[in-house]
Amino acid sequence: MSFPVFARFGSAAVLNAVAGTTYRIALDGYNGVMADYRLSWAPLGPPTVTGFSPSGATAGQTVNVNINGANFTPGAIVSFGGGLVDPTRINYQSSTLITVTRVPITAVTGPIMVTTPAGAAASANNFVVTPPPAPVIAGFSPDGAKAGTPVSITGANFTGTSAVLFNGTPVTSFTVDLAGQTIVTSVPPGATSGAITVVTPGGTAVSASPFTVIVLPVIVQAPQSQTVTVGQTVSFTVVDDRKGPEEY
């Protein structure tokens, strides 16, 4: 296993030690008894952000943003105008450089902030964020179903979707593909026929055609117990929310 070198025998070294990191002592050319060897280090001070490149991007855009400064540490938290960056999109390069590979979809124009255990720092200049494009619903399948049935909604710019509604009734769960072009969900209980709505940071999309919610008829008045013969008429009442009570 390889560890960072802390110091070499016969020399002094200053190290901004990172908590949780293991260091090794290299004693090059040493073949005697070491009477005294002292280890000491100074903790990192608060971070500073001196600049970044490029100067702006679109919210949700996959792009490398290099953040320059000092006293950065692995595991630092980064935000753009208050929008937190996914930790898997933060690459610690050194104590003076962090690279973010994707601007968060929730980002807005504002300072870039870096937070470490020693403190937080914001850039002097704003990172300019272009709002994401508005979502578009191209279609859905099937075009009608009962509650609980899976539905696939196709379109564009679905990344960051915060809500999906069937004629105003919100769904309880949904998934969005990586391309932001497909949403998979289910017809929520209590939904009625009407437009499908998708809400994202870029705006709100409403389907051009309505989704038909199929309500199964329910027998509310069963026939009295009786013996019948083939061909004999039996009367009972059902309720179909689309038609109302009917006699059969």
Side-chain angles (χ1 to χ4, degrees):
M1 180 178 295
S2 176
F3 300 109
V5 175
F6 180 83
R8 296 187 180 278
F9 177 70
S11 66
V14 176
L15 175 71
N16 285 326
V18 177
T21 301
T22 300
Y23 298 89
R24 69 182 176 86
I25 302 172
L27 304 178
D28 292 350
Y30 178 74
N31 59 2
V33 177
M34 183 170 62
D36 187 18
Y37 198 90
R38 298 179 181 179
L39 299 179
S40 63
W41 63 85
L44 284 175
T48 59
V49 177
T50 58
F52 50 80
S53 177
S55 60
T58 300
Q61 181 179 352
T62 299
V63 59
N64 286 344
V65 179
N66 292 317
I67 305 170
N68 304 105
N71 297 334
F72 296 158
T73 60
I77 299 170
V78 181
S79 63
F80 287 68
L84 290 174
V85 178
D86 181 344
T88 64
R89 295 285 186 171
I90 302 173
N91 292 332
Y92 171 82
Q93 309 285 5
S94 69
S95 63
T96 61
L97 176 62
I98 287 176
T99 299
V100 170
T101 60
R102 186 176 185 179
V103 178
I105 191 68
T106 55
V108 296
T109 296
I112 292 179
M113 179 168 286
V114 176
T115 302
T116 72
S123 61
N125 297 324
N126 287 340
F127 183 87
V128 180
V129 177
T130 301
V136 177
I137 297 177
F140 46 80
S141 179
D143 58 6
K146 64 181 180 179
T149 303
V151 176
S152 179
I153 305 168
T154 56
N157 307 325
F158 291 154
T159 301
T161 294
S162 58
V164 179
L165 305 95
F166 284 67
N167 199 29
T169 300
V171 302
T172 55
S173 65
F174 59 86
T175 59
V176 181
D177 71 336
L178 292 177
Q181 299 176 346
T182 303
I183 296 174
V184 176
T185 186
S186 298
V187 182
T192 56
S193 297
I196 292 178
T197 301
V198 174
V199 181
T200 75
T204 300
V206 180
S207 63
S209 57
F211 181 90
T212 301
V213 177
I214 298 174
V215 180
L216 301 179
V218 179
I219 297 177
V220 295
Q221 181 179 335
Q224 294 181 350
S225 177
Q226 57 182 299
T227 302
V228 297
T229 59
V230 176
Q232 181 178 346
T233 300
V234 177
S235 178
F236 57 91
T237 302
V238 301
V239 171
D240 184 333
D241 284 356
R242 295 165 298 169
K243 299 179 181 180
E246 293 186 4
E247 289 284 331
Y248 289 85

